[in-house]
Amino acid sequence: MKNFRIEFKWALIFSAFTLFWMAMEKTVGLHDEYIAQHAIYTNLIAIPYLIIFYLAIKQKRDQYYNGIMTWQQGMISGSVISTIIAVLSPLITYISVYFISPDYFQNAIEYSVKFKDMKPETAESFFSINFYLLQAVFGSLAMGIVTSAVMAWILRRKPKNE
């Protein structure tokens, strides 16, 4: 576990940032008054997520591997971060749905049925805790591994004599 202290730290930062982002979305009205724009603006979270992964893998390279890191080492570090995030994601989703924005699902269902011509049953299955939990776990794993591969490639560094 000591070997993955950096990964745990950054997975917690990622998860805390996710809660902060959800609270900001709720505060500015993207979960109710401006729900029509939610799909557009929620994707902006990718920018800080990329920065978090970059900083995490860079810290692993600089502090754990003494500035020298292969793509594989960076990929393992990022994959560990992604796995921890995936394990934490049901809790983060639960907090987001039940404490930060308890009306989000109902608002999204009503909007989708009224303006997106979605059938009520489809909207209810899409905007549900079960669907969001699955999406959180598998989405964080998939996107985390892809992001890890890219960041590990960017941050890899060979010894100067090679």
Side-chain angles (χ1 to χ4, degrees), residues 118-127:
M118 194 179 281
K119 293 180 181 175
E121 306 80 34
T122 304
E124 288 171 7
S125 66
F126 185 76
F127 296 106

Side-chain angles (χ1 to χ4, degrees), residues 5-161:
R5 187 174 295 161
I6 292 170
E7 288 83 354
F8 275 106
K9 170 187 148 184
W10 285 99
L12 290 174
I13 290 170
F14 185 101
S15 298
F17 181 79
T18 301
L19 290 173
F20 168 77
W21 187 272
M22 292 300 117
M24 291 305 300
E25 282 188 358
K26 172 68 175 166
T27 300
V28 300
L30 290 174
H31 293 184
D32 42 55
E33 184 179 357
Y34 303 111
I35 200 162
Q37 287 80 38
H38 180 260
I40 297 164
Y41 291 109
T42 196
N43 291 320
L44 292 175
I45 199 170
I47 296 166
Y49 279 176
L50 291 172
I51 293 168
I52 289 170
F53 264 83
Y54 176 86
L55 293 172
I57 295 173
K58 183 179 183 305
Q59 183 180 12
K60 185 71 170 194
R61 180 195 70 193
D62 294 346
Q63 292 182 5
Y64 186 82
Y65 292 116
N66 298 316
I68 308 299
M69 182 181 74
T70 65
W71 176 83
Q72 292 85 353
Q73 290 169 324
M75 184 65 193
I76 289 169
S77 178
S79 296
V80 169
I81 294 168
S82 300
T83 302
I84 298 166
I85 291 167
V87 168
L88 293 173
S89 68
L91 175 63
I92 300 307
T93 301
Y94 185 86
I95 293 169
S96 297
V97 168
Y98 290 109
F99 294 101
I100 295 174
S101 190
D103 298 328
Y104 172 70
F105 285 150
Q106 189 58 43
N107 294 338
I109 290 166
E110 289 172 10
Y111 174 80
S112 297
V113 169
K114 187 173 182 180
F115 295 105
K116 298 285 186 175
D117 294 324
M118 194 179 281
K119 293 180 181 175
E121 306 80 34
T122 304
E124 288 171 7
S125 66
F126 185 76
F127 296 106
S128 69
I129 188 67
N130 290 337
F131 183 79
Y132 269 58
L133 287 171
L134 285 172
Q135 190 177 21
V137 171
F138 293 111
S140 60
L141 270 176
M143 291 309 296
I145 300 228
V146 170
T147 302
S148 298
V150 172
M151 292 304 164
W153 184 80
I154 291 169
L155 290 164
R156 73 194 191 287
R157 189 181 292 162
K158 294 181 182 180
K160 292 190 190 286
N161 58 359

